[in-house]
Amino acid sequence: MYEQDYIIRMNNEVIRTMVKLLLNKDTGVPVNISEGTIKSENKKMLEAANGQSGIDNIKKMEEEILTLVDADKEGALEKALVFYGYLNELTEDALLSQNYSHEKIKKGLKIIAERYGILNVIDLIYR
């Protein structure tokens, strides 16, 4: 349990760091739907990720988002960070029940960091 709490905190810190370094924005909480700080298309994406088809939909969305990041599409980075921030707020039990985990979120964040050339900085946070 303590290890998972640690990974969750580190994932949040990585998301905040990436938002600051790559988007030049300060953020307290990576995902805050209630305050309307998420663009409407990203809110729809999160609602779909939490839809009835469960993890199949999340895995598909993750693949689509990473494809957008690889293609350097406009808004892809923000979408990826919002997506992983949202997943990171879910409990470990909720993720594990759908064959996902906070560790997989960490791997996804590292893929994005590598794509944008800041993997060394992110690795320092995860140590």
Side-chain angles (χ1 to χ4, degrees), residues 49-60:
N50 201 25
Q52 296 179 1
S53 59
I55 197 64
D56 293 335
N57 202 12
I58 291 174
K59 286 183 178 180
K60 180 181 176 187

Side-chain angles (χ1 to χ4, degrees), residues 21-33:
L21 290 176
L22 299 173
L23 299 174
N24 199 27
K25 296 180 184 176
D26 285 318
T27 180
V29 180
V31 176
N32 195 346
I33 298 170

Side-chain angles (χ1 to χ4, degrees), residues 35-80:
E35 290 185 14
T37 56
I38 296 175
K39 292 180 182 176
S40 62
E41 72 259 12
N42 290 340
K43 190 180 282 191
K44 288 177 188 173
M45 175 207 46
L46 294 180
E47 290 168 356
N50 201 25
Q52 296 179 1
S53 59
I55 197 64
D56 293 335
N57 202 12
I58 291 174
K59 286 183 178 180
K60 180 181 176 187
M61 293 183 87
E62 181 180 43
E63 289 173 13
E64 289 173 8
I65 287 170
L66 292 177
T67 300
L68 291 174
V69 167
D70 284 341
D72 202 22
K73 296 286 184 181
E74 183 178 344
L77 174 61
E78 180 180 290
K79 185 176 280 195

